[in-house]
Amino acid sequence: MEFPQQQKPADGKIIYPPGVKEITDKITNDEVVKRLKMVVKTFMDMDQDSEDEKQQYLPLALHLASEFFLRNPNKDVRLLVACCLADIFRIYAPEAPYTSHDKLKDIFLFITRQLKGLEDTKSPQFNRYFYLLENIAWVKSYNICFELEDCNEIFIQLFKTLFSVINNSHNQKVHMHMLDLMSSIIMEGDGVTQELLDSILINLIPAHKNLNKQAFDLSKVLLKRTVQTIETCIANFFNQVLVLGKSSVSDLSEHVFDLIQELFAIDPPLLLSVMPQLEFKLKSNDGEERLAVVRLLAKLFGAKDSELATQNRPLWQCFLGRFNDIHVPVRLECVKFASHCLMNHPDLAKDLTEFLKVRSHDPEEAIRHDVIVTIITAGKKDLCLVNDQLLGFVRERTLDKRWRVRKEAMMGLAQLYKKYCLHHEAGKDAAQKVSWIKDKLLHIYYQNSIDDKLLVEKIFAQYMVPHNLETQEKMKCLYYLYSCLDPNAVKALNEMWKCQNMLRSQVRELLDLHKQPTSEANSAAMFGKLMTIAKNLPDPGKAQDFMKKFNQVLGEDEKLRVQLELLISPTCSCKQADVCVREITRKLANPKQPTNPFLEMVKFLLERIAPVHIDSEAISALVKLLNKSIEGTADDEEEGVPPDAAIRSGLELLKVLSFTHPTSFHSAETYESLLQCLKMEDEKVAEAAIQIFRNTGHKIETELPQIRSTLIPILHQKAKRGTPHQAKQAVHCIHAIFHNKEVQLAQIFEPLSRSLNADVPEQLITPLVSLGHISMLAPDQFASPMKSIVANFIVKDLLMNDRSVGNKNGKLWCPDEEVSPEVLAKVHAIKLLVRWLLGMRNNQSKSANSTLRLLSAMLVSEGDLTEQKKISKSDMSRLRLAAGGAIMKLSQEPCYHEIITPEQFQLSALVINDECYQVRQIFAQKVHVALVKLQLPLEYMSIFSLCAKDPVKERRAHARQCLLKNISVRREYIKQNPMAHEKLLSLLPEYVVPYMIHLLAHDPDFTKPQDSEQLRDIKECLWFMLEVLMTKNENNSHAFLKKMVDNIKQTKDAQAPDDPKTNEKLYIVCDIALFVIVNKSTTYHLESPKDPVLPTKFFTPPDKDFINDKEYLSLEARTVLLTGKPKPASVLGTVNKPLSVTGKRPYNRTAGSETGSNVSGNSEPSSPSGNKGREQGTDASETGASENEENPVILLSVTPVKTEPVKNKEVNSEQSATGNDSAERGKKRAAPADGSENMHQNPEEDQPDEMGGPVPPKPRRGRPPKSQTPGSTEKSSEAKTGGRGRKRAAPTLESPGGLEAANVKVPKQQKDTEAKKAPAQRQMDLQR
């Protein structure tokens, strides 16, 4: 627009409105103001149509724009002039009366400066300022500036002024006019310059936003109103900064991410063109830059109403990729974002799950920790926000290697459990979804870390059964929790109470020591107790120092001792315990020391020993709940527990508590309820009730005669006609709680002993159990009468007779309910023999020798003592297990251990190599449990070396874990008990080596001293044990082991000292052991810390004149052991491809040797001493036996048949790597149909083949060869040799008939002169 040249009137005189005198610099300011107000009023009243007036006052309009007015120092003058100028622009619109661009610029800058007066709303002149704003906004006066070259300067000044003056005292009209003014400039101009854009955006930066919230709001509305116009300018700005990297384009460049966040919150379309640029930035090489972008996008995607993830999928996918960023802070930021995203956008949970899964295994502890926090935070807000997979990640992290992560996972799950299961905040479905948490948390009690155990105890007391609840509510919570736990969780909870009870006992014993006079022995005993207590606290090192300090305080403060005694008293109630803990804490607190680690440690101790759940009132409440369940008036169904299950688990709970809190049970009401349980039909309920009486009823006879008179007949009835378990508990209960126990037991013993009848085995089991326990508990009274029962009935009538014919289905094992009554009776008869001997604890009558011969004969005959072949395979397995277990049980008693011969020990040891998987499994567990309790002699640990030959990987892994546990228990015991150093021969784990060497030298499979296969087997067994022993070289133990083996070579085998072959085998095993030690250890040559002592039962004393320095291993044998030549192919065509590793025997494995497991035995040597036996293709694999199943399958066939291989449950990584070798390896047999488990052979295989040749028998372990009389060749095919449980692959058959017998098990070499002894001969042998 062009400004017309308007002329002054001809006379040039300025015309003022009527009554207004001339305004010049000659008059005072007040007069100027007075005259200007009249001018303002005149202009206000004028409108655009007053042409005459417009012409008349034109000179005045020009005069008001003079320097005198624009530069006037008086603000009132300036304001009135500004108002006049605004009206002039309104009146003369669309043309302005001013011709000069510079003048226009000065005028608009002048008006802009006057707008600053809007800031003070309380000013008397505010209305004039508002009028000024309203006028220029309504007329859009500033639009005139578009024609000016430097209009941008004016606009920037205007925008800055408006944003600076806006405040919370302004009303809506002020906001509206400002917006109208600014939006018209933006929308009607040619574009928005960067400086003008900056003046708007600067108000969005957090620092400015916090200073002037109204400016922020004004900018926000302005941007929303002008989005169509300004979006392009914004996109250009971000493109310059983000893509081109031109940070100099604006002072706001460093705040781009803050701006994007605010702009997105204001109106997402503002960033329509910017988002693709962020995807580019996410892939930047600069980690810090990626971090900034991730932080920004996390806020954008996670915002409550954000739809960015659905609208911009490529950006969302690119953002998810940053979960796997190499930069740790980026991954951490992504994980933190996930929490908000889960809570605000549940629909995105599926996308996040996979990425959180990967991050839950992140190498960075902080990231794994935050994954848990993310999931738990969302879960606590609403369980529907987290799916089962996400909860599964938290579950996994409860076993994390880092304590901080484990703690967070456990506490998080505990909080979810309390919220949804205990308080039922989201209904039954939510409670069901997290019902697994209670079991999982208790399972963690199995972990070795004391921190884990303590946290589980804390969680149990605060979240699972909150201790601050009222007793009734608390016990109801415990009652139904116990009913719903899985068996392992129940065991863990029981163990927790047991550990707490043991710690209470330790503290009680410590207090007892304080009551005794001071002495050196007392101080030593006290120190031992303190060390034991410290082991039950976190950070045992610090705990020891703090416990010493605590002990010192106890010695000095009698009142503290009294409080502690009250706390651990059996009669202490939960409320009393709370008071005691507070009182002790108060005494030990130091106000000057806010963080007191000593006090924290004592609190840990007090928390563990304080009875926070169980007291007399609690037991009474539990019993009432049990009564309600019995009566059917409880909330069992409502709690999701069937009444029968509630009763049974309730009794089990009371039974466990009867061990730890027996005093709390002593009330007539409790015992009356238990008597009702005794009369119930449920066997388990009655059994538990009897056990509770046994544990808690010591005062019944003296204080509750009525209960006593009712209880006695019930116990008698259970001992005579109850279940075996009830009978056992009834006998023990009578023995424990009655003074006239002899009379009571005699009343049971006599009728039972007279009623024994082997023809009715179903009715024999309970009497046998009762008689066995009676004879064990009261040997003086019943040992003699039992001897005649044992001789005449147990051995002669029951064990030496087979009255019924067993099931000939070929199974090696069957479920308990399918075992024949006769065999069950025989098993219990064997147990009776053991209990009778354990009661006597002497061998004066030589009964133990006879019993051991009987048990050995049972093992030699493989369970069929009479050898009449009436008994089934599965029943024979049961009897072998019973016999092996019986010998092991007797060896726990020193007087019987002495008379067990090496041969008998070897026979029982071979049970761990039994052909039946379940026999091996159960026997190994029995041996392990007894060894861990230090009840079995050390030589029994050597049995585990035979597990190297087990064809099932799980069994080898289990055996290795057993060894690790036993060795650590023994070493820890030696450390904690100074007196143990006198018994090192029976405690030091290294002393197992002589027993192992002797056992392996007498291995029935070790028949050819120089056979490479057999030597590798021996080496494998030795390494199985030595690897665990040699993990740490404590006190030069490697040198000690070598010296021990060297010493054995200087002795002879005490079992056959004059037999050169026996001694040669012993020395060969020694040489293999030395070979393993030398190849494994680098310190074997050092000085041995002590001189080893060898067991005289197995080795003769060393002969000073005898120096055995002979090398018994040939060079070829050593090469085989070192490098491992490929084994010959088995009859099934199995080919083992050796790995060519210099100096190390190739690692051979057949595809079938690992039966479906990825559990690592981790027992291969890392030295040149190789590995074979545990991984070799044994019979079980080569015949398709799947011993990993509950019942192993072994099929033999005369005709070679190709079948599909057995499919493992999981493919081992090594198996999959060699999967293409199946053609070379040969195919395994298909798994047979149901019912063929543990089959020995097909029925037709018992018959000779068509040519009349008998099928060669399979070799067995545990039975020495018998001499065979001449002429008995027809029996030779049935002869059996040692080798139970390890079915050998047959050697390659090179004869023409080899193919026909390809799948037949070939026995070891037997002498033609060997034959079976007749059963009569066996009977004679037993009497020797």
Side-chain angles (χ1 to χ4, degrees), residues 606-703:
L606 297 178
E607 283 173 9
R608 292 204 78 184
I609 63 175
V612 293
H613 286 115
I614 306 300
D615 56 12
S616 299
E617 189 184 349
I619 295 296
S620 178
L622 279 175
V623 170
K624 283 175 185 170
L625 282 167
L626 181 65
N627 288 339
K628 284 184 181 178
S629 291
I630 293 170
E631 294 161 6
T633 58
D635 304 330
D636 298 341
E637 297 289 356
E638 198 177 303
E639 295 287 341
V641 182
D644 290 346
I647 296 167
R648 183 178 293 188
S649 61
L651 253 296
E652 282 297 317
L653 172 59
L654 286 168
K655 182 179 85 175
V656 172
L657 295 174
S658 72
F659 285 101
T660 55
H661 300 79
T663 314
S664 302
F665 282 78
H666 194 68
S667 74
E669 183 186 13
T670 299
Y671 289 136
E672 287 287 354
S673 299
L674 292 172
L675 285 172
Q676 293 302 315
C677 295
L678 282 176
K679 296 171 185 175
M680 292 180 68
E681 293 180 5
D682 191 317
E683 297 172 358
K684 293 281 185 186
V685 168
E687 181 194 334
I690 298 171
Q691 195 157 357
I692 295 169
F693 273 111
R694 171 188 169 185
N695 294 340
T696 66
H698 302 290
K699 295 183 181 177
I700 285 179
E701 191 160 32
T702 54
E703 297 180 13

Side-chain angles (χ1 to χ4, degrees), residues 589-816:
N590 184 353
K592 295 178 182 178
Q593 196 175 359
T595 54
N596 188 343
F598 166 62
L599 182 59
E600 291 303 313
M601 194 64 76
V602 174
K603 278 183 182 176
F604 271 120
L605 176 64
L606 297 178
E607 283 173 9
R608 292 204 78 184
I609 63 175
V612 293
H613 286 115
I614 306 300
D615 56 12
S616 299
E617 189 184 349
I619 295 296
S620 178
L622 279 175
V623 170
K624 283 175 185 170
L625 282 167
L626 181 65
N627 288 339
K628 284 184 181 178
S629 291
I630 293 170
E631 294 161 6
T633 58
D635 304 330
D636 298 341
E637 297 289 356
E638 198 177 303
E639 295 287 341
V641 182
D644 290 346
I647 296 167
R648 183 178 293 188
S649 61
L651 253 296
E652 282 297 317
L653 172 59
L654 286 168
K655 182 179 85 175
V656 172
L657 295 174
S658 72
F659 285 101
T660 55
H661 300 79
T663 314
S664 302
F665 282 78
H666 194 68
S667 74
E669 183 186 13
T670 299
Y671 289 136
E672 287 287 354
S673 299
L674 292 172
L675 285 172
Q676 293 302 315
C677 295
L678 282 176
K679 296 171 185 175
M680 292 180 68
E681 293 180 5
D682 191 317
E683 297 172 358
K684 293 281 185 186
V685 168
E687 181 194 334
I690 298 171
Q691 195 157 357
I692 295 169
F693 273 111
R694 171 188 169 185
N695 294 340
T696 66
H698 302 290
K699 295 183 181 177
I700 285 179
E701 191 160 32
T702 54
E703 297 180 13
L704 299 167
Q706 188 178 352
I707 300 291
R708 176 188 184 278
S709 58
T710 313
L711 180 61
I712 287 176
I714 296 176
L715 293 177
H716 280 234
Q717 186 266 336
K718 295 294 183 188
K720 293 173 186 174
R721 288 180 291 282
T723 65
H725 288 292
Q726 290 173 356
K728 170 187 172 180
Q729 294 301 336
V731 169
H732 279 271
C733 185
I734 291 169
H735 185 264
I737 69 177
F738 297 123
H739 296 312
N740 62 340
K741 61 189 83 169
E742 293 83 4
V743 178
Q744 302 285 349
L745 294 176
Q747 290 173 3
I748 299 170
F749 184 88
E750 288 167 10
L752 286 182
S753 59
R754 289 196 299 270
S755 65
L756 295 173
N757 181 2
D759 293 327
V760 193
E762 297 87 350
Q763 299 175 11
L764 259 182
I765 297 166
T766 297
L768 289 175
V769 170
S770 292
L771 291 173
H773 283 282
I774 289 171
S775 61
M776 183 172 70
L777 293 171
D780 297 339
Q781 187 179 355
F782 299 106
S784 299
M786 273 303 294
K787 188 170 184 180
S788 61
I789 294 173
V790 166
N792 299 325
F793 178 77
I794 299 296
V795 176
K796 199 174 289 184
D797 208 13
L798 186 56
L799 294 176
M800 298 299 294
N801 276 306
D802 292 334
R803 287 174 167 75
S804 59
V805 178
N807 189 343
K808 296 294 184 181
N809 61 6
K811 290 183 181 179
L812 288 177
W813 192 261
C814 64
D816 293 351

Side-chain angles (χ1 to χ4, degrees), residues 83 313 515 887 1052 1197:
C83 289
R313 293 300 291 179
K515 296 174 185 176
I887 293 176
K1052 292 184 179 179
S1197 174

Side-chain angles (χ1 to χ4, degrees), residues 452-724:
D452 288 307
K453 292 179 190 289
L454 286 170
L455 186 57
V456 172
E457 290 181 12
K458 182 178 180 179
I459 285 170
F460 181 79
Q462 292 183 5
Y463 296 93
M464 298 173 79
V465 184
H467 63 84
N468 52 3
L469 294 176
E470 287 299 318
T471 303
Q472 303 295 328
E473 193 62 31
K474 185 164 58 178
M475 288 304 103
K476 183 178 179 181
C477 188
L478 177 59
Y479 184 78
Y480 289 111
L481 172 71
Y482 203 83
S483 305
C484 300
L485 293 175
D486 69 29
N488 289 327
V490 168
K491 285 180 187 173
L493 182 53
N494 296 347
E495 181 67 19
M496 185 181 89
W497 282 326
K498 178 183 165 188
C499 290
Q500 290 174 343
N501 194 48
M502 285 171 64
L503 189 56
R504 273 195 288 274
S505 301
Q506 296 289 345
V507 175
R508 193 176 293 117
E509 289 167 16
L510 178 66
L511 288 172
D512 290 341
L513 289 171
H514 273 285
K515 296 174 185 176
Q516 296 174 9
T518 307
S519 68
E520 194 173 326
N522 191 358
S523 299
M526 208 175 272
F527 179 76
K529 290 289 170 218
L530 291 172
M531 293 305 100
T532 308
I533 292 169
K535 278 198 300 180
N536 290 281
L537 297 172
D539 195 351
K542 288 182 182 176
Q544 287 181 9
D545 296 333
F546 288 136
M547 282 303 102
K548 287 176 189 173
K549 182 178 176 181
F550 182 56
N551 189 51
Q552 188 179 346
V553 176
L554 280 177
E556 296 166 358
D557 192 336
E558 189 178 345
K559 288 183 180 177
L560 196 65
R561 286 204 306 274
V562 170
Q563 290 290 346
L564 194 57
E565 278 184 2
L566 179 58
L567 181 65
I568 58 174
S569 162
T571 56
C572 180
S573 70
C574 297
K575 289 176 183 174
Q576 280 178 317
D578 195 35
V579 173
C580 289
V581 169
R582 278 206 305 271
E583 189 63 27
I584 294 171
T585 307
R586 187 185 62 78
K587 280 180 175 288
L588 295 174
N590 184 353
K592 295 178 182 178
Q593 196 175 359
T595 54
N596 188 343
F598 166 62
L599 182 59
E600 291 303 313
M601 194 64 76
V602 174
K603 278 183 182 176
F604 271 120
L605 176 64
L606 297 178
E607 283 173 9
R608 292 204 78 184
I609 63 175
V612 293
H613 286 115
I614 306 300
D615 56 12
S616 299
E617 189 184 349
I619 295 296
S620 178
L622 279 175
V623 170
K624 283 175 185 170
L625 282 167
L626 181 65
N627 288 339
K628 284 184 181 178
S629 291
I630 293 170
E631 294 161 6
T633 58
D635 304 330
D636 298 341
E637 297 289 356
E638 198 177 303
E639 295 287 341
V641 182
D644 290 346
I647 296 167
R648 183 178 293 188
S649 61
L651 253 296
E652 282 297 317
L653 172 59
L654 286 168
K655 182 179 85 175
V656 172
L657 295 174
S658 72
F659 285 101
T660 55
H661 300 79
T663 314
S664 302
F665 282 78
H666 194 68
S667 74
E669 183 186 13
T670 299
Y671 289 136
E672 287 287 354
S673 299
L674 292 172
L675 285 172
Q676 293 302 315
C677 295
L678 282 176
K679 296 171 185 175
M680 292 180 68
E681 293 180 5
D682 191 317
E683 297 172 358
K684 293 281 185 186
V685 168
E687 181 194 334
I690 298 171
Q691 195 157 357
I692 295 169
F693 273 111
R694 171 188 169 185
N695 294 340
T696 66
H698 302 290
K699 295 183 181 177
I700 285 179
E701 191 160 32
T702 54
E703 297 180 13
L704 299 167
Q706 188 178 352
I707 300 291
R708 176 188 184 278
S709 58
T710 313
L711 180 61
I712 287 176
I714 296 176
L715 293 177
H716 280 234
Q717 186 266 336
K718 295 294 183 188
K720 293 173 186 174
R721 288 180 291 282
T723 65

Side-chain angles (χ1 to χ4, degrees), residues 443 588 1112 1233:
H443 290 170
L588 295 174
Y1112 288 86

Side-chain angles (χ1 to χ4, degrees), residues 966-1033:
N966 275 294
I967 289 170
S968 68
V969 163
R970 287 171 182 272
R971 285 185 174 149
E972 189 61 30
Y973 182 83
I974 292 169
K975 281 181 190 173
Q976 299 296 331
N977 295 273
M979 305 299 290
H981 291 279
E982 298 171 11
K983 302 176 182 176
L984 280 184
L985 188 58
S986 60
L987 287 171
L988 193 68
E990 280 75 14
Y991 272 121
V992 75
V993 171
Y995 299 115
M996 172 177 64
I997 287 174
H998 190 273
L999 179 63
L1000 294 175
H1002 289 270
D1003 185 341
D1005 283 351
F1006 188 28
T1007 54
K1008 297 179 180 178
Q1010 294 301 328
D1011 181 79
S1012 61
E1013 290 294 317
Q1014 295 183 14
L1015 292 180
R1016 275 192 288 201
D1017 273 355
I1018 295 293
K1019 190 199 81 170
E1020 191 57 34
C1021 293
L1022 286 165
W1023 174 241
F1024 193 78
M1025 178 75 72
L1026 288 172
E1027 183 200 23
V1028 183
L1029 282 173
M1030 295 171 67
T1031 305
K1032 294 179 182 176
N1033 184 24

Side-chain angles (χ1 to χ4, degrees), residues 112-128:
T112 301
R113 286 195 295 273
Q114 305 323 304
L115 288 174
K116 288 183 180 178
L118 286 167
E119 191 168 9
D120 185 6
T121 55
K122 294 179 181 177
S123 163
Q125 302 296 332
F126 178 75
N127 286 339
R128 286 198 185 279

